[in-house]
Amino acid sequence: MATTETTESTGAEGGHESGVFPPLDATSFPSQLFWLVIFFGALYLLMSRMVLPKLGAILTKRKAQMDGDIARAQALKDETEAAVKHYEKALGDAKANANDIARDTKAKVTAEIDGEQSVLDGELSKKIKDAEARVAKAKAKAMESVESIAGESAADIVASLTGGKTTKVAVAKAIAGIKR
Amino acid sequence: MATETVVNDPIHQFRLHSLFDLFSVGGHQISFTNSALFMGLIVLFITGFLLMAASKAAMVPGRLQSIGEMWYSMIHNMVNNVLGEEGKAFFPLVFSLFSFVLIANMFGMFPYFFTVTSHVIVTASLALFVVGLVVVVGIYKHGLGWFKLFVPHGVPIVILPIISVIEIISFLSRPISLGLRLFGNILAGHIVLKVFAGFVVSMIAAGGIIAVSSVLSLGMAVALTALEFLVAFLQAFVFAILTCVYLNDALHPSH
């Protein structure tokens, strides 16, 4: 390919310059090599000393930032999960506590009610007993009064009937006799 | 040089001319040529572009910075994947090679720009440098044991000499293939592009039905331009990845 191009070039130029296909013209090699070494060397130095460290630093910094962010997000997530667990545990504890308190309170209240009930019952039955005793006493007293009234009435009746006097003792004896 | 020659001669674009002569060494004139000028522009462009891309150092990159980072990451990953952790030292070199070849090829796509990589001395020098570096690094790292590269494992002793000769030939042909591949692709592409573009002008000049059919030639030139942009990138990429593969032989000779 190169040779055909060379002949074409020679034909077209008609020996205008050296007549050699320029990319293969050895006379230009020293100059090109000289400048290639200088410019490629310069490029290498610029890249390795200046440009690449800068670009690398940007990418490293971003990677570090992202890794840090991800780690922080993970830590926060773990923290949240721990908090949720803690909350659920607290909630369970509180529920259990509430149940206990409710049960205890119920038992206490029931016991109190029972106690008061029994006290009240005792008081009431005592009052009833007292009342009954009082009634019985009053009854007995009344009966006694009936006796004495009966005696007096009998004495009065006897007095008014017979006009005589009777002794209380005789009347009481008589009443006791009747009663018997 | 007459304008007509420029239009019709597909070789003109490769012609070197001295901008000023410097000195001569052993009878060889060293001059600052258009090629040297474009080499300088390539270095300026790469450095300037990447420094601009890195200047903001934003956590969320803008467009320019994204390109710079992609450029960096592509070669960084390539070196990492092929050479591993030990290959870190070669990253600036591979990056410089890739960038130099890429921008040289891309600059070549602009009309009236000189294509540095269309001259065999440039591509062959870079290729020879790479293969020379492989030999130097290989011997520096592994001593004479590096030459086991040419004596593959598990090959029957009978055919070992033949294999070794083939291995040596294949190794020696590397700089030739590496340098000529790039040179040939860029040279041929530019010639073909110029030929088709030249056709457009000549056909229009011919007039009549030929002038109308010059549209086909124009279409071809447009399509080839797109293809050449692809080739420009691809050849730079191929040059870089082959450099990595060859350097891998220097670091890990047993394959």
Side-chain angles (χ1 to χ4, degrees), chain A residues 166-178:
Chain A
T166 54
T167 59
K168 271 186 183 172
V169 181
V171 172
K173 227 183 227 167
I175 286 168
I178 289 164

Side-chain angles (χ1 to χ4, degrees), chain B residues 41-216:
Chain B
L41 289 178
I42 288 162
V43 174
L44 270 180
F45 177 83
I46 296 169
T47 311
F49 182 91
L50 290 178
L51 280 182
M52 239 156 70
S55 63
K56 267 195 203 156
M59 197 46 77
V60 179
R63 262 177 276 184
L64 197 65
Q65 196 182 325
S66 284
I67 296 172
E69 285 175 10
M70 265 163 62
W71 194 335
Y72 179 99
S73 305
M74 186 177 77
I75 303 302
H76 196 260
N77 292 343
M78 182 197 284
V79 172
N80 240 8
N81 291 340
V82 180
L83 296 177
E85 197 61 20
E86 308 155 70
K88 257 186 177 169
F90 296 109
F91 169 59
L93 176 70
V94 178
F95 187 89
S96 303
L97 278 170
F98 171 78
S99 306
F100 187 82
V101 174
L102 175 74
I103 300 305
N105 293 350
M106 286 299 179
F107 270 18
M109 292 310 295
F110 289 91
Y112 299 106
F113 275 37
F114 184 82
T115 317
V116 174
T117 42
S118 69
H119 275 243
V120 71
I121 180 69
V122 174
T123 63
S125 302
L126 292 176
L128 269 172
F129 169 66
V130 167
V131 177
L133 188 71
V134 169
V135 176
V136 171
V137 171
I139 292 175
Y140 176 75
K141 289 230 168 189
H142 303 277
L144 290 178
W146 178 72
F147 287 100
K148 280 188 198 138
L149 177 67
F150 303 115
V151 189
H153 268 296
V155 175
I157 198 82
V158 186
I159 57 166
L160 196 58
I162 308 167
I163 296 287
S164 290
V165 168
I166 293 173
E167 287 279 347
I168 289 167
I169 292 173
S170 100
F171 186 86
L172 290 179
S173 62
R174 276 175 184 182
I176 302 168
S177 70
L178 187 61
L180 285 190
R181 180 184 302 109
L182 175 59
F183 165 66
N185 267 286
I186 301 304
L187 180 80
H190 278 74
I191 290 174
V192 171
L193 198 53
K194 187 78 181 211
V195 165
F196 273 100
F199 277 172
V200 179
V201 179
S202 335
M203 284 161 97
I204 288 173
I209 190 77
I210 303 174
V212 175
S213 58
S214 72
V215 164
L216 293 174

Side-chain angles (χ1 to χ4, degrees), chain A residues 6-180:
Chain A
T6 312
T7 49
E8 262 184 44
S9 140
T10 328
E13 291 295 319
H16 179 80
E17 272 178 25
S18 59
V20 187
F21 183 52
L24 299 175
D25 181 6
T27 55
S28 74
F29 285 180
S31 291
Q32 292 203 66
L33 200 54
F34 176 78
W35 290 111
L36 177 67
V37 169
I38 287 180
F39 283 124
F40 190 76
L43 179 68
Y44 179 81
L45 286 178
L46 283 168
M47 291 298 116
S48 59
R49 296 283 152 85
M50 204 157 91
V51 172
L52 295 181
K54 270 190 183 176
L55 280 168
I58 294 172
L59 292 171
T60 321
K61 199 177 139 205
R62 181 174 311 133
K63 192 168 181 304
Q65 168 96 38
M66 280 165 105
D67 287 352
D69 284 358
I70 287 169
R72 218 166 37 147
Q74 186 63 44
L76 286 175
K77 200 182 155 217
D78 290 350
E79 213 171 281
T80 313
E81 270 167 11
V84 167
K85 239 175 232 166
H86 185 78
Y87 161 76
E88 272 167 5
K89 191 176 168 291
L91 191 66
D93 285 357
K95 269 184 183 163
N97 255 357
N99 275 342
D100 283 357
I101 289 170
R103 197 161 2 90
D104 286 359
T105 313
K106 202 177 160 194
K108 218 163 91 187
V109 167
T110 315
E112 223 166 78
I113 289 172
D114 284 353
E116 269 176 26
Q117 182 88 48
S118 66
V119 168
L120 213 61
D121 282 355
E123 261 173 29
L124 278 177
S125 60
K126 196 175 157 236
K127 271 185 187 167
I128 288 168
K129 245 179 236 162
D130 282 0
E132 274 172 356
R134 263 205 317 275
V135 168
K137 220 169 157 186
K139 203 176 161 188
K141 212 175 171 185
M143 287 310 283
E144 256 170 46
S145 303
V146 166
E147 236 166 79
S148 66
I149 289 167
E152 273 169 31
S153 308
D156 283 349
I157 291 166
V158 167
S160 58
L161 283 179
T162 60
K165 275 212 176 177
T166 54
T167 59
K168 271 186 183 172
V169 181
V171 172
K173 227 183 227 167
I175 286 168
I178 289 164
K179 258 171 90 182
R180 217 163 279 144

